[in-house]
Amino acid sequence: MNNSSPKKAKAKNDWHPADVVAALHKAGWTITALGKAHGLSSGQTLSKALSQSYPVAEKRIADALGIHPMEIWPSRYFENGDVKPRGFRAIQFNRITLSVNGKDQAGNSHEAA
């Protein structure tokens, strides 16, 4: 009996924060040293990117590794490399992209009266 089912395309996962730190160490950086190199008083600002979307810090970390931030955090970027909206803008973005034929999912019309 063959229990094979169609394989789903594997979604790329974000790197684990420890993997990002290890890659920085291999490249000769620490979070603190990288932050200071960018004129920050500590590495705490850059370390925020390890746990939440922070495009400026993500770019600085990825540049230190010589790659695009999308390779480290694919869930935070669209396929074309643009940053996905977050917070309230993400709610607005999803509402606009999910609306169908001028009506939202609740059936409310968005047409001008």
Side-chain angles (χ1 to χ4, degrees):
M1 182 169 165
N2 189 356
N3 290 338
S4 64
S5 60
K7 300 241 178 196
K8 292 182 181 178
K10 262 193 170 179
K12 287 187 175 182
N13 294 328
D14 291 354
W15 290 15
H16 190 279
D19 294 332
V20 177
V21 172
L24 283 171
H25 285 206
K26 282 184 177 180
W29 290 101
T30 63
I31 293 281
T32 304
L34 187 59
K36 288 185 179 183
H38 285 281
L40 304 172
S41 60
S42 73
Q44 189 171 8
T45 304
L46 292 181
S47 68
K48 288 180 184 178
L50 299 176
S51 61
Q52 62 191 32
S53 182
Y54 191 0
V56 172
E58 293 167 12
K59 176 98 172 89
R60 290 175 176 172
I61 291 170
D63 285 347
L65 298 176
I67 58 178
H68 190 278
M70 187 173 69
E71 292 183 41
I72 303 170
W73 297 283
S75 69
R76 301 178 190 180
Y77 292 84
F78 290 115
E79 291 292 323
N80 65 2
D82 291 342
V83 177
K84 287 184 180 179
R86 56 191 201 283
F88 183 71
R89 293 193 191 278
I91 295 169
Q92 289 178 322
F93 179 81
N94 286 333
R95 184 172 182 177
I96 290 167
T97 57
L98 293 177
S99 66
V100 178
N101 296 330
K103 295 184 178 182
D104 62 17
Q105 291 185 350
N108 299 325
S109 179
H110 293 290
E111 298 172 4

